[in-house]
Amino acid sequence: GFMSLQFLINGFGTNCMAAYTAASKVDAFAEMPALNLGQAMTNFTAQNLGAKRQDRVWKGGKYALLMGMAISACVSAVIVIFPSVFISIFNRDVSVVNIGSSYLRIVPAFYIVFAAMQILNGLLLGYGRSFVPMIASVCSLCCLQVPMAVILSGTELGHNGIWLAAPIGWFGGLLIRA
């Protein structure tokens, strides 16, 4: 999956590759709260199931979802409003900053979906249901994100089509988990 995305990105030239690299670093940092909340939910769920406290699992899940979405909304807002500042940390080339900024105007707008997906993942893993998250991840990447990236990048969207494919994959992954 990742290799086919990299192949598509490489087709748009070195500036696009550099922009994607810089934007991915911002992405990785910005997605940490959601990933960590998801991991915390795994432990929280398993411990409370072991303690026969199903009520806490639902309450904790609800609050983790609210907290994850609130944090993601704040992080999204900052990145979407100031994308060039974040790309400039890694690369100051004007063309790279412009391409990277287009990525950071699209993908972070959907961090809320990513957060919900990670927290639901954590709940499912805490219940010992690892098959659903695994299938959801594979389907999200291989059945949605990569094909959509191929299709959309071939339109007038160009490299922005590749950026749009990630949130489409997240939506699919979220729907499978929910």
Side-chain angles (χ1 to χ4, degrees), residues 29 31-43 114 118-119:
F29 185 75
E31 290 172 352
M32 273 185 191
L35 289 166
N36 291 335
L37 270 169
Q39 289 174 337
M41 276 314 300
T42 300
N43 298 330
F114 181 80
Q118 292 304 318
I119 291 160

Side-chain angles (χ1 to χ4, degrees), residues 15-78:
N15 286 339
C16 192
M17 291 161 56
Y20 178 72
T21 301
S24 294
K25 289 175 183 172
V26 176
D27 236 0
F29 185 75
E31 290 172 352
M32 273 185 191
L35 289 166
N36 291 335
L37 270 169
Q39 289 174 337
M41 276 314 300
T42 300
N43 298 330
F44 180 84
T45 301
Q47 288 170 349
N48 281 292
L49 285 176
K52 310 265 189 266
R53 291 297 305 266
Q54 179 76 34
D55 60 312
R56 282 192 203 155
V57 173
W58 294 119
K59 191 175 179 183
K62 183 176 73 178
Y63 284 117
L65 211 50
L66 289 171
M67 189 168 36
M69 293 172 95
I71 292 167
S72 294
C74 292
V75 170
S76 293
V78 172

Side-chain angles (χ1 to χ4, degrees), residues 61-162:
K62 183 176 73 178
Y63 284 117
L65 211 50
L66 289 171
M67 189 168 36
M69 293 172 95
I71 292 167
S72 294
C74 292
V75 170
S76 293
V78 172
I79 294 173
V80 168
I81 293 169
F82 306 108
S84 58
V85 172
F86 291 98
I87 297 298
S88 296
I89 293 169
F90 303 102
N91 195 315
R92 293 181 192 271
D93 181 279
V94 177
S95 177
V96 172
V97 171
N98 288 338
I99 297 168
S101 293
S102 73
Y103 178 106
L104 292 183
R105 279 192 205 95
I106 295 170
V107 177
F110 299 94
Y111 283 162
I112 289 174
V113 176
F114 181 80
M117 185 177 71
Q118 292 304 318
I119 291 160
L120 284 175
N121 229 19
L123 274 165
L124 288 167
L125 292 172
Y127 271 103
R129 306 235 167 94
S130 57
F131 187 71
V132 174
M134 181 193 68
I135 293 299
S137 294
V138 170
C139 284
S140 169
L141 184 67
C142 299
C143 304
L144 278 172
Q145 188 176 352
V146 172
M148 290 309 296
V150 170
I151 293 165
L152 295 175
S153 68
T155 69
E156 66 275 1
L157 288 170
H159 54 73
N160 289 328
I162 302 170

